[in-house]
Amino acid sequence: MAAPERTQRDITGLLNAAGHTLSNRLAAALAEVDLTPRMQCVLIHAMEEERTQIQLAALSFLDKTTMVSTVDELERRGLAERRQSATDRRARIIAVTDKGRRVAEEAQAIVDRVHGEALAGVAPEGRKAFLDLLTSLAGPDANPGPQPIRRARGK
């Protein structure tokens, strides 16, 4: 039996393979400062402005369970802490400690280097087009955060 004719490249497979490769490179490079890419992402977003754990999870493309364990680990290492929001007494925010800020700044230079290396063979206008495309596929407007996938029962 012949396979069905493909009319499109396997975009999902290509994106997964590229993401896996880049994630592995980034994880290996961030090991220099004893951070994971997930921890670095949360620290950077938490440093930008006062944000709750739920807001940080959406910005970091993390589910709630992964976010909780990531913040627990950041707290254990003295890099971040949960605090009451300055603007909403009901909300708890993730605040980056001075130690966390120093580590995140050092790690951001590593992230920038790895990303630069990954795009080194792409012309500047191609980089912009590529990043614009990725943003439209997975950016905050297209994806407000991790969403559950609902499957029909019995299938």
Side-chain angles (χ1 to χ4, degrees), residues 69-125:
S69 64
T70 301
V71 174
D72 287 348
E73 183 62 18
L74 290 170
E75 277 192 312
R76 189 186 70 71
R77 295 177 182 209
L79 303 175
E81 57 192 24
R82 292 171 173 97
R83 292 185 188 161
Q84 187 172 353
S85 169
T87 58
D88 182 352
R89 291 184 305 145
R90 299 166 295 170
R92 304 218 357 118
I93 56 113
I94 306 306
V96 179
T97 64
D98 289 339
K99 178 182 176 185
R101 182 173 298 280
R102 287 190 302 275
V103 171
E105 288 170 353
E106 187 177 353
Q108 190 58 49
I110 294 168
V111 171
D112 291 344
R113 182 190 80 225
V114 171
H115 289 169
E117 290 168 356
L119 296 174
V122 181
E125 61 276 3

Side-chain angles (χ1 to χ4, degrees), residues 9-155:
R9 292 281 310 263
D10 183 0
I11 298 168
T12 303
L14 290 169
L15 286 171
N16 283 337
H20 182 73
T21 299
L22 188 55
S23 291
N24 285 341
R25 286 183 190 171
L26 191 55
L30 284 172
E32 295 173 26
V33 291
D34 197 28
L35 281 184
T36 66
R38 198 172 26 222
M39 286 189 275
Q40 170 64 7
C41 187
V42 170
L43 286 172
I44 291 298
H45 286 303
M47 288 169 55
E48 293 168 342
E49 65 183 67
E50 186 175 280
R51 290 188 165 125
T52 65
Q53 200 164 283
I54 292 171
Q55 291 169 321
L56 289 170
L59 288 168
S60 302
F61 300 101
L62 299 175
D63 60 78
K64 289 178 186 178
T65 303
T66 303
M67 184 64 191
V68 168
S69 64
T70 301
V71 174
D72 287 348
E73 183 62 18
L74 290 170
E75 277 192 312
R76 189 186 70 71
R77 295 177 182 209
L79 303 175
E81 57 192 24
R82 292 171 173 97
R83 292 185 188 161
Q84 187 172 353
S85 169
T87 58
D88 182 352
R89 291 184 305 145
R90 299 166 295 170
R92 304 218 357 118
I93 56 113
I94 306 306
V96 179
T97 64
D98 289 339
K99 178 182 176 185
R101 182 173 298 280
R102 287 190 302 275
V103 171
E105 288 170 353
E106 187 177 353
Q108 190 58 49
I110 294 168
V111 171
D112 291 344
R113 182 190 80 225
V114 171
H115 289 169
E117 290 168 356
L119 296 174
V122 181
E125 61 276 3
R127 287 182 190 194
K128 181 177 179 347
F130 176 69
L131 294 172
D132 288 347
L133 177 60
L134 285 179
T135 300
S136 72
L137 291 173
D141 293 335
N143 179 5
Q147 301 294 315
I149 296 173
R150 303 282 184 218
R151 296 176 190 225
R153 291 185 181 261
K155 294 199 178 194

